[in-house]
Amino acid sequence: MISVDLARLRIMIVDDQTLVRTLISQALQSMGIKQEHIFQAADGTAAMRLLDIRMVDIVLCDVQMQPMNGMDLLKELRCGHTANVSNLPFVFLSGHADRTNVVLASQLHADGFVVKPPKPADVEKAIQVAMSRERPEIDPFSYYNVATGTEYDKKVFGRLFETRSPVSQEEPEERCLTLDKIKPGSLLTRDLRSRAGHLLLPRGATISANQLTVLRDYSERYGVAHIYVSEGDEVAANPSVARH
C-alpha cells in the first residue's frame, strides 16, 4: 500500500454528534492534517451544501442521520449531484456495520467502515487504505437504481423512475440542445439514453454540472450529443431544485 501524505489532505467529517466530530478532528490534526483542511457537517444536507463549495479528498461520514443519512449522502455524491468528483473516497463511521449496510455500501462503492467510537489508529488506517485504492470508474448514472430504503431516497430518487407518459415531439416548451448549450439544473423533457439504449436519466430529472462534464469527457462511452430540455430556465436558476 502506498503511503499517503496526510498533511496535504482535505477531509470532511459528517456526523450529527458534535463530540464525535471534535474527537475525529483532533485525531486528524495529531496525524499532521491542517486544521484549515478539516471541514465539518452535522448532517447529510449540510454536507451536500459544503461539497458544493469545498473540494475535498475524502469524506468520513456517520451512517445514521436524519433526514439524509450517510447512505443517502454517498448516493447523492456518486450520482454526481455535488461539485466534487463522483468517485470521491468515502469512509463510513458506524457503531455497527450490519450486513444490510455493508452490502449497500459496497453497491455505492464506499471505502470501508470505522467503528464508533473511532480510534485514531483505525481512522488513519482507513484513510490510508481509501486513498490508496483504485477508484471506481466515474459513471454517475449507474447509481440511481441503488435503493437505500430510506424515506429520503423514495421521495427524491424513487419518483424519478415512476412510469411517465411520453412527451409529444410537437411539445412547444422543449428544446433540443447540444451538451455545451445545456445549463446545469435543466429539466429533461425526454428520457436520456446512451448510444446503446441504456437509460441514464428519466424524463423529469434535472441534470447536474458534474453529469454534463462526464457526458462530455466520456463521449465515446455514452454517445450523447443532444439533450431535450424544458424551454424555461426556472430550474437552473434554483440550486435547491437543480439536483434532482
Side-chain angles (χ1 to χ4, degrees):
M1 182 176 67
I2 300 174
S3 180
V4 178
D5 183 2
L6 298 177
R8 299 171 63 95
L9 292 185
R10 297 158 300 174
I11 299 182
M12 177 176 292
I13 307 166
V14 188
D15 198 291
D16 55 5
Q17 297 182 54
T18 303
L19 178 59
V20 172
R21 298 199 307 272
T22 300
L23 290 174
I24 295 177
S25 178
Q26 292 173 346
L28 294 176
Q29 290 177 63
S30 71
M31 299 172 200
I33 297 173
K34 299 176 182 178
Q35 184 177 6
E36 60 267 28
H37 287 177
I38 300 172
F39 309 102
Q40 298 186 27
D43 55 52
T45 304
M48 284 283 287
R49 290 196 295 266
L50 265 178
L51 288 170
D52 274 339
I53 61 176
R54 301 288 187 189
M55 297 298 106
V56 300
D57 298 300
I58 185 170
V59 176
L60 306 177
C61 183
D62 186 22
V63 176
Q64 301 298 332
M65 296 180 294
Q66 292 292 337
M68 185 197 301
N69 72 15
M71 294 293 173
D72 292 323
L73 175 61
L74 178 53
K75 180 173 177 177
E76 291 271 23
L77 174 66
R78 292 289 184 253
C79 287
H81 292 160
T82 78
N84 279 261
V85 293
S86 299
N87 60 356
L88 189 73
F90 196 106
V91 173
F92 280 115
L93 308 169
S94 177
H96 55 284
D98 62 64
R99 177 171 174 76
T100 301
N101 281 340
V102 170
V103 171
L104 182 56
S106 176
Q107 292 175 318
L108 293 169
H109 290 111
D111 293 276
F113 286 84
V114 173
V115 177
K116 295 169 64 176
K119 299 177 181 178
D122 293 340
V123 173
E124 182 171 2
K125 180 180 179 182
I127 292 173
Q128 290 282 1
V129 170
M131 297 303 300
S132 301
R133 286 183 60 188
E134 183 177 350
R135 303 314 307 154
E137 187 178 27
I138 294 181
D139 186 357
F141 305 103
S142 67
Y143 298 96
Y144 274 84
N145 285 312
V146 179
T148 67
T150 66
E151 288 303 315
Y152 177 90
D153 187 61
K154 294 173 185 176
K155 178 180 178 181
V156 173
F157 289 96
R159 65 180 176 79
L160 291 181
F161 291 88
E162 295 171 352
T163 302
R164 301 170 185 269
S165 58
V167 176
S168 166
Q169 293 194 10
E170 288 75 37
E171 281 284 350
E173 65 270 14
E174 74 171 2
R175 293 181 294 172
C176 179
L177 301 176
T178 57
L179 293 180
D180 60 316
K181 301 294 185 183
I182 301 290
K183 290 185 178 181
S186 292
L187 182 71
L188 302 184
T189 57
R190 302 189 187 188
D191 289 346
L192 177 63
R193 295 183 179 274
S194 68
R195 180 191 293 114
H198 297 133
L199 179 63
L200 301 178
L201 284 174
R203 177 172 86 86
T206 58
I207 190 161
S208 70
N210 210 330
Q211 292 167 337
L212 286 168
T213 298
V214 169
L215 288 175
R216 288 193 292 263
D217 291 350
Y218 297 86
S219 58
E220 287 299 317
R221 179 196 304 171
Y222 298 107
V224 174
H226 299 82
I227 299 178
Y228 287 89
V229 297
S230 173
E231 180 77 27
D233 294 322
E234 292 83 6
V235 177
N238 187 344
S240 66
V241 179
R243 288 198 179 94
H244 307 296

